[in-house]
Structures are given as C-alpha cells and as structure tokens.
Amino acid sequence: MKVLVAVKRVIDYNVKVRVKPDNTGVDLANVKMAMNPFCEIAVEEAVRLKEKGVASEIVVVSIGPKACQEQIRTALALGADRGIHIETDEEVQSLEAAKLLKSVVEKEEPKLVILGKQSIDSDNNQTGQMLAALTGMGQGTFASEVVVEGDKVNVTREVDGGLMTVALNLPAVVTTDLRLNEPRYASLPNIMKAKKKQLDSMTPADLGVELAPRLSTLKVEAPASRQAGVKVADVAELVDKLKNEAKVI
Amino acid sequence: MSILVIAEHDNSELKQATLNVVAAAKAIGGDIDVLVAGENCGAVGEAAAKAEGVNKVLVADNAVYGHFLGENLGELVAEVGKSYSHILAAAGTVGKDFMPRVAALLDVAQVSDIMRVESEDTFVRPIYAGNAIATVKSTDSIKVITVRPTAFDPVAGEGGSAAVEQLDVVKDAGLSAFVNEELAKSDRPDLGSAGIVVSGGRGMQNGDNFKMLEQVADLLGAAVGASRAAVDAGFVPNDMQVGQTGKIVAPQLYIAVGISGAIQHLAGMSDSKVIVAINKDEEAPIFQVADYGLVADLFEAVPQLEEELRKVK
C-alpha cells in the first residue's frame, strides 16, 4: 500500500527562540531550520512499515518556500521513495495546508497518511484532523503504536488518562506522538542516493487551492518571565516557608 | 453572540476543565450553552446545568459518542454548532482530537489553546512551546477555539439552574471503532486540575523511587507528575508527563524533584502559583523559576520532607 507523509520545515528544536523587537513574529533570519520533530517520527514510521513489507511506496510532501526541499530530501534519505513540493512563499495556515494535502491525497490515493501531531512553531495540532475531515477519513491522533491489519489500522493513542486504541478503516490519517518510535539518522550513501530521487514541484494554484488565511497575527511577544526566588538552607526551612510565608500547605 | 461549550467528562462526571472553558466563554460574552455528548451521561448534563453562567445544556446521549471518537463528535458538533458564533472546548486530548474536524467541516480556522480573551474575535495563545505569545484575530463567522483550562479560573460548579434539553442527533461517521483503553487508576487528584503537584525527573533514577514522591503527594493531597526525561527513560507512564508535549498544569504549589528544568518542561508548569525545586545541581535552570530552591540530594531531602510534613499536618 502507498503511504503519504507530510513534513514541515521549522526552526530547529535546539535553537533558542527570540521574538523580534518590533513584535511582528519570531526572528528566523540566519536561524538553523530542520524537519519538525513530529514529522521525523512520521517519516520513520512509514519507513518501518515499508521494511515490514506493509507499505510499498512512501511519498513525502511538504508545503512552503523553495528551501523546504531540503526537508523533503532528508525524508528521501531516510527511506521515502518520492517527493512532492508545494511551493509558496506565503504563510500557510492549518486549514489551507489541509486543503492542499487533500488535493494531493486525491491524486495519489494513499492508504495511509502520516503526519506529526503538531509543528513546534505554531503548535496548532490541527492539520491532520482537518485533512481527515476534508477527505472523509478516520483519524488516529497522538499515536504511540500503529498496526495495519487487512483493511484496517489499529492505532494506540496517547490520551489524557493513559492509552486508547481505535480501529480505523483504511484509508486513514495517523498523527504521531513522541513515543511512536525513535527516528534513525540518514547515512551518507542514502543522502547521496536521495539526491537522485524524484521530486515534483507544484504550486497551490496547480492544485486548485487558493490561499486565504482566516487568522491574522496582531503581535508576538516574549512570555512574561518568572523571577527566581530564594534558596532555602534545608527541608525544615522549606516547609516553614511553604506553611507560613506562601501559605500553600 | 452565542457560545457553545463542549463539556469534558467521562460519562459519569463533569470534568473541572469544563468550568474553566465556561469561564473563557464568559470572557467572550454572550449566551452560553453547554453540549454534553456521551453515553449514559445524564448525570453529566445535570452537573453542567448547575454551572454558573450557563443558559442551556444540550445532551446528546448515544452509544456512538461513548468513547468520544473524533469522527463522530466532529460531525455532531459541526451540526449543532453551526448556529453559534463561537464553539469552545478544553484543549485536552479529546478536544484536540475532534475540534479541528469541526473547524474543517465548517470551513473555518481553529484557534488552538487560548490563554486569554482580548475581544470576541481576538485571542492570546502560546507558540514555539510557550517561548513566544501570539495575539491572533479571527475573521471567520464561527470561531472554533480550544482553551487552555489552567489559564482561566473556573466558574462555580454549583448554583446555576440551566434548562436541560435532550438532543436526538445521532452522527455515526462509520470510520472508526473503539478497541480498548488502558487508563491509569489512581486515588490521587487529576494531574490537570490538582491544587498541588509533586513531579519527578531524571534525577529519580528509576520508577520505584517515585514511591517516595507518592508518599509526599498523599500527605499533601497532591497529584504526581513527571518530566519528559523521566517518561522517556521509562520510569513512569506518559500520562504523567508535565510539559509542552504533555500536560499543562498551573497548581497552587508545584514541587519539582530532580528536574533540571528544560524549556519544554517549564512551558508546562511555569504558571504555577508557587514553585519549589529540589535538585543537587545548583546551576539547574529550574532554580531560575523556583520561588523556593533547595540544593540537596533528593534521596535525603524527600524523606526529610515527608517527615517535616507529617509534623505540620
């Protein structure tokens, strides 16, 4: 079966985020960019499904400026077979991303679509669910285990009280949580091979989707910082302060 | 304006998060209706009717909603919610699952995890794991919003007397089925709404050592949490994780034991009223946010803490 994986180019998770002085956003100039960590987990899961013989082809798609072809190449080096780049320099919000991915799903007809549960820049946690709704598919969100059995996929989900397993009809959408797998690193020979893999580029207009953002960001600020308090000498002083000063116990 | 709040519950009890979301709805202003979707959830509907500021409670009681499957809830809420100006749910794993479906079905954007209401169309939310705070304006006719419960003080859960109406809307998308669940059983309060949280990190060294924290927690009536490092190391299950990728908590008192204070953990607990850090590394970043820091070996400090607490309790 064919698996479609969506990946997003975001600020590298090790980079310290700085808000721009004019409060229009976060400073991304000369900042290291990388594949969203949850998307790496999505790629890894698809590759493992292929290694198990469950998946036959892995198509990786990314939406954004020319530079996000780097992340598509990374996914190809990790084991994806073919890439699709939907090129735009505009800001793409979750609903629009879902509409773009829907048109890719209609063309490619994958049995399984795997996405990260959220990107670490906008932290929306929306695109997978929106894509599932728009395509009429079931969704296994925040997955910690994915097992394909016949025409169904069982997805164990990380929920507030523990774990919950659902059975979804295929085709279905899965969004990854942290503990689904540990992504591998790309080997040098695979990075070289990935350069020769097919990567098709298209625009939102080619897919018949008009970008029309519904949300506007009025300002972006640094969070209110918390002041460091006092050091206590021992446990007795700590308990005394909690009881008599902070009055929280 | 009319606001539909989707209740968070377990079919028998209304979760406190619902009261926090009603508070967010009050900050927007307008008539507030609450939708309780579940199976044999009549008691939840009665409880929601008592919440302060609620105009009407709608109860959709059917087996198809029993496990809160996002496909079915999404269709129900899109159908019921289309006549409202705002649809709100708590940003827990249920709300995060079905609300984007609602937004997509209504062809509107979703505003996720709001911390503050600026006006009926403008909201404040964290981005970049809480390292930046965005003020976002929505131009959609229906605003679909998930709410960070700990950012809003709950409305009173008693005193209201809203009308309860049964809804005969059965939406079975036929796409998904519940198989099973493994829910952590605990007599301690729920991590997300506990007044006191005691959390352990990598410094706990193993899962058995969390028993020390449990003993302290039981003395305080507290919930027990953990850092991502402790969960990833397999000490404790994932539902105990506090942080940007786990649960966001804001208790009166947060005691961090053997937690260094990675940014992703701080994003999940830095709104706590009083923070205590116990760590043997005095350079640990957790001390920069702690109101009371104790530089000590936790294996000595935690038993002492238990002893001292017994004296004052």
Side-chain angles (χ1 to χ4, degrees):
Chain A
M1 68 178 199
K2 190 193 278 186
V3 178
L4 180 70
V5 182
V7 301
K8 185 175 181 184
R9 175 183 172 89
V10 298
I11 192 167
D12 185 277
Y13 77 101
N14 286 313
V15 171
K16 183 159 172 52
V17 171
R18 282 177 214 286
V19 172
K20 286 188 199 166
D22 65 359
N23 295 114
T24 55
V26 161
D27 195 356
L28 295 178
N30 303 314
V31 165
K32 188 182 175 205
M33 302 292 279
M35 191 190 298
N36 179 43
F38 291 102
C39 302
E40 285 186 330
I41 296 171
V43 172
E44 175 67 30
E45 194 64 16
V47 173
R48 291 188 187 189
L49 286 173
K50 193 173 177 195
E51 286 168 348
K52 281 185 214 156
V54 177
S56 52
E57 186 188 20
I58 302 167
V59 180
V60 59
V61 56
S62 190
I63 305 167
K66 189 101 187 157
C68 69
Q69 291 192 5
E70 281 172 38
Q71 279 64 48
I72 297 177
R73 291 287 174 204
T74 302
L76 294 173
L78 291 168
D81 297 295
R82 178 158 66 81
I84 297 174
H85 176 214
I86 304 172
E87 189 173 350
T88 175
D89 290 329
E90 305 292 313
E91 182 203 353
V92 178
Q93 296 180 351
S94 306
L95 183 63
E96 300 164 307
K99 288 179 178 179
L100 290 166
L101 295 174
K102 178 191 180 216
S103 56
V104 174
V105 166
E106 282 166 354
K107 280 172 67 158
E108 296 286 340
E109 299 183 332
K111 278 279 187 212
L112 196 61
V113 187
I114 312 180
L115 306 87
K117 74 166 180 180
Q118 72 191 63
S119 60
I120 60 167
D121 50 3
S122 53
D123 283 334
N124 278 315
N125 198 327
Q126 297 174 1
T127 304
Q129 296 90 314
M130 287 180 163
L131 172 65
L134 295 177
T135 53
M137 291 193 223
Q139 64 190 35
T141 51
F142 330 139
S144 66
E145 195 182 4
V146 175
V147 180
V148 177
E149 281 172 359
D151 58 356
K152 294 210 187 290
V153 57
N154 276 17
V155 181
T156 301
R157 309 175 49 229
E158 296 200 1
V159 296
D160 285 338
L163 297 172
M164 171 184 182
T165 304
V166 291
L168 309 171
N169 299 344
L170 293 174
V173 171
V174 168
T175 76
T176 62
D177 216 320
L178 286 172
R179 281 163 284 274
L180 180 58
N181 60 49
E182 266 188 56
R184 71 194 67 191
Y185 295 96
S187 68
L188 191 58
N190 285 342
I191 292 171
M192 301 311 289
K193 264 191 254 171
K195 291 182 178 168
K196 297 199 181 74
K197 288 186 179 173
Q198 184 185 343
L199 200 175
D200 298 317
S201 202
M202 54 194 75
T203 65
D206 293 338
L207 293 166
V209 176
E210 193 187 341
L211 297 183
R214 316 293 183 82
L215 303 176
S216 54
T217 299
L218 304 184
K219 62 180 173 189
V220 174
E221 297 163 294
S225 62
R226 230 186 138 99
Q227 298 296 316
V230 296
K231 290 262 169 61
V232 292
D234 53 34
V235 171
E237 187 189 349
L238 173 64
V239 171
D240 178 62
K241 295 251 188 209
L242 291 178
K243 189 167 173 66
N244 300 315
E245 190 176 270
K247 296 187 167 59
V248 287
I249 59 171
Chain B
M1 274 179 307
S2 54
I3 304 171
L4 183 65
V5 168
I6 317 304
E8 179 137 328
H9 64 95
D10 60 4
N11 288 320
S12 55
E13 273 179 41
L14 185 72
K15 294 277 173 72
Q16 195 213 282
T18 310
L19 303 177
N20 303 86
V21 179
V22 171
K26 279 184 81 176
I28 294 168
D31 280 346
I32 301 166
D33 292 352
V34 173
L35 172 62
V36 175
E39 181 182 12
N40 298 326
C41 58
V44 180
E46 297 300 323
K50 293 192 189 120
E52 176 197 341
V54 175
N55 173 55
K56 187 168 65 176
V57 176
L58 306 169
V59 178
D61 193 332
N62 193 284
V64 299
Y65 309 126
H67 296 288
F68 315 112
L69 295 173
E71 297 82 358
N72 300 350
L73 280 187
E75 288 194 12
L76 170 73
V77 175
E79 170 76 25
V80 176
K82 66 186 179 195
S83 56
Y84 289 82
S85 61
H86 297 73
I87 305 173
L88 271 61
T93 50
V94 173
K96 286 177 184 173
D97 185 49
F98 78 85
M99 285 290 269
R101 276 191 97 98
V102 174
L105 293 172
L106 295 172
D107 192 30
V108 299
Q110 174 180 309
V111 184
S112 293
D113 208 18
I114 65 163
M115 309 157 65
R116 210 163 67 227
V117 173
E118 294 284 80
S119 71
E120 58 173 284
D121 62 4
T122 304
F123 311 95
V124 176
R125 60 178 299 266
I127 55 175
Y128 291 91
N131 287 301
I133 307 295
T135 303
V136 178
K137 183 182 166 109
S138 163
T139 57
D140 282 313
S141 56
I142 303 175
K143 277 92 177 153
V144 172
I145 296 166
T146 61
V147 176
R148 173 174 290 197
T150 54
F152 295 86
D153 289 332
V155 299
E158 295 290 338
S161 56
V164 179
E165 200 177 290
Q166 299 297 319
L167 271 188
D168 190 22
V169 184
V170 180
K171 296 280 185 186
D172 184 0
L175 298 169
S176 56
F178 171 81
V179 177
N180 62 45
E181 60 191 353
E182 293 168 45
L183 299 184
K185 288 192 180 57
S186 170
D187 296 332
R188 295 188 191 91
D190 176 57
L191 187 53
S193 56
I196 302 180
V197 173
V198 182
S199 281
R202 198 194 301 272
M204 297 303 297
Q205 295 183 1
N206 61 50
D208 280 346
N209 289 334
F210 269 74
K211 289 205 183 77
M212 299 195 315
L213 300 187
E214 289 169 4
Q215 283 161 359
V216 171
D218 288 342
L219 279 173
L220 295 167
V224 179
S227 70
R228 181 176 160 187
V231 173
D232 283 352
F235 299 171
V236 290
N238 68 281
D239 54 278
M240 286 172 63
Q241 184 182 326
V242 172
Q244 178 65 19
T245 53
K247 294 207 172 78
I248 312 287
V249 302
Q252 292 291 305
L253 172 61
Y254 188 90
I255 304 178
V257 180
I259 291 178
S260 64
I263 190 80
Q264 114 57 58
H265 187 75
L266 301 184
M269 46 63 84
S270 59
D271 287 335
S272 305
K273 184 160 169 275
V274 174
I275 296 175
V276 169
I278 300 175
N279 201 303
K280 66 180 172 189
D281 174 11
E282 65 180 311
E283 302 297 321
I286 190 79
F287 287 122
Q288 290 164 21
V289 300
D291 299 285
Y292 301 109
L294 175 62
V295 180
D297 182 343
L298 70 92
F299 294 102
E300 287 168 20
V302 174
Q304 283 172 16
L305 179 61
E306 189 188 337
E307 205 172 298
E308 290 291 327
L309 287 172
R310 277 188 203 283
K311 284 187 210 163
V312 299
K313 280 281 162 178

